[in-house]
């Protein structure tokens, strides 16, 4: 029986590349989108073309109010499309880039970032545990910005640092179920993240390329394969780690 992965925020960007790479490794995929149902449909078709089963569900991580409905929908999909199986791997990926400097940060912005990057992954994972098999894993998506700093990202990076620390604690707590928990911390990648600045702003792109040992910014396909590797037996002894995938930025 194929293993089953659930990736949040896989309608585009890094999550999409994770879902496709997981499918290439022979996993079936359930993934979520927030607003872009058409893109989600395309990703689902690509997964099916790779020979794997796929389903997608709407999920907002702006708040936790919709989680009960989400888990109801998830159970329905598991029963109807996946023979009542459970999830083996959870990838907490959905997120946004919202720069804000200390002097100007509104409480609403702080709360949005906190819900998306900390509170929702925490409680989504908590609720997901009963839907998960023992012996699988969880991958949290962190950021290079917890190792080095960039103006405007204190709230974002602070929250990613929290989930990176939480990763270690979950690894400890879930070890008895043989569930491994790791953080993948991407460097700056060309996606829609933060208004697509890394991809579309020439100055930012050049600055990051010049600060990176391998001489360019990251692409989504630099990340998905690493997440997929963490969801195979090849990585069975990697646990509680932060793995930075940045081409060596700001070394
Ligand atoms: N790109 C980078 O440079 C970079 C670097 C380090 C870490 N990261 C992290 O990598 C993850 C993915 O980022 P990305 O670059 O792939 O971004 P992206 O291209 O903007 O894609 C974001 C994904 O998350 C979903 N999403 C956005 N807001 C959501 C919400 N409120 N509720 C539920 N889902 C939501 C989107 O769904 P819809 O398509 O339906 O809107 C989409 O699938 C994030 O956690 C980000 O912090 C990114």
């Amino acid at each position: 029986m194929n293993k089953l992965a659930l990736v949040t925020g896989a309608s585009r960007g890094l999550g999409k590349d994770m879902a496709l790479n997981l499918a290439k490794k022979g996993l079936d995929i359930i993934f979520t989108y927030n607003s872009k149902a058409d893109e989600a449909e395309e990703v689902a078709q690509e997964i099916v073309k790779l020979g794997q089963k796929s389903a997608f569900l709407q999920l907002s991580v702006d708040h936790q109010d919709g989680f009960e409905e989400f888990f109801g929908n998830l159970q329905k999909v598991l029963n109807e499309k996946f023979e009542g199986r459970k999830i083996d791997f959870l990838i907490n990926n959905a997120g946004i880039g919202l720069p804000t400097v200390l002097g100007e940060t509104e409480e609403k912005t702080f709360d949005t970032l906190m819900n998306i990057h900390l509170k929702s992954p925490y409680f989504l994972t908590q609720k997901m545990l009963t839907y998960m098999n023992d012996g699988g894993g969880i991958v949290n998506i962190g950021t290079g910005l917890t190792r080095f700093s960039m103006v405007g990202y204190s709230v974002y990076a602070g929250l990613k640092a929290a989930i990176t620390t939480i990763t270690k604690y979950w690894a400890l707590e879930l070890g008895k179920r043989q569930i491994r928990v790791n953080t993948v911390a991407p460097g700056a990648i060309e996606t829609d993240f933060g208004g697509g600045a890394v991809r579309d702003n020439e100055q930012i792109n050049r600055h990051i390329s010049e600060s990176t040992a391998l001489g360019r910014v990251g692409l989504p396909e630099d990340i998905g394969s690493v997440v997929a590797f963490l969801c195979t037996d090849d990585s069975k002894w990697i646990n509680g780690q932060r793995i930075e995938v940045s081409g060596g930025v700001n070394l």
Side-chain angles (χ1 to χ4, degrees), residues 44-237:
Q45 285 175 14
E46 284 191 56
I47 294 168
V48 170
K49 273 193 211 144
L50 290 165
Q52 300 309 122
K53 281 193 182 178
S54 174
F56 59 92
L57 295 167
Q58 200 280 334
L59 171 71
S60 166
V61 293
D62 284 336
H63 45 72
Q64 298 77 45
D65 303 353
F67 282 9
E68 205 178 311
E69 189 185 347
F70 170 75
F71 279 100
N73 292 336
L74 176 63
Q75 189 58 66
K76 208 162 165 251
V77 160
L78 288 170
N79 291 343
E80 289 173 3
K81 226 175 156 179
F82 296 90
E83 306 90 31
R85 284 148 62 193
K86 286 189 167 187
I87 308 287
D88 297 290
F89 294 95
L90 167 65
I91 294 94
N92 283 312
N93 165 73
I96 59 165
L98 201 56
T100 174
V101 291
L102 176 61
E104 293 165 17
T105 302
E106 290 178 15
E107 203 174 331
K108 193 166 159 273
T109 307
F110 188 102
D111 287 344
T112 298
L113 284 165
M114 188 186 62
N115 274 308
I116 291 178
H117 291 289
L118 181 59
K119 197 168 172 190
S120 285
Y122 190 95
F123 286 105
L124 191 82
T125 304
Q126 182 191 67
K127 290 180 175 40
M128 195 68 74
L129 288 176
T130 54
Y131 295 80
M132 286 183 75
N133 285 319
D134 292 356
I138 297 167
V139 180
N140 292 321
I141 302 305
T143 174
L145 292 171
T146 59
R147 177 175 61 80
F148 52 87
S149 50
M150 190 184 276
V151 169
Y153 281 93
S154 64
V155 180
Y156 170 82
L159 295 161
K160 288 290 199 186
I163 203 76
T164 302
T165 297
I166 283 171
T167 293
K168 288 192 275 186
Y169 283 80
W170 286 353
L172 196 58
E173 291 172 9
L174 297 176
K176 58 181 182 295
R177 288 185 56 183
Q178 298 295 304
I179 292 176
R180 297 181 292 112
V181 191
N182 292 290
T183 298
V184 166
I189 317 289
E190 285 191 0
T191 67
D192 295 335
F193 180 83
V198 175
R199 181 190 56 216
D200 302 335
N201 183 316
E202 221 175 289
Q203 208 182 337
I204 293 176
N205 189 297
R206 191 173 337 110
H207 173 71
I208 294 166
S209 299
E210 286 168 358
S211 314
T212 303
L214 295 181
R216 62 168 175 84
V217 301
L219 301 169
E221 52 264 38
D222 295 322
I223 308 300
S225 56
V226 180
V227 171
F229 160 71
L230 287 171
C231 301
T232 65
D233 275 352
D234 289 343
S235 61
K236 62 181 181 297
W237 207 234

Side-chain angles (χ1 to χ4, degrees), residues 4-5 7 19 22-23 27-31 47 52-55 82:
L4 178 56
V7 187
L22 285 158
L27 283 87
D28 294 328
I29 314 290
I30 299 175
F31 66 94
I47 294 168
Q52 300 309 122
K53 281 193 182 178
S54 174
F82 296 90

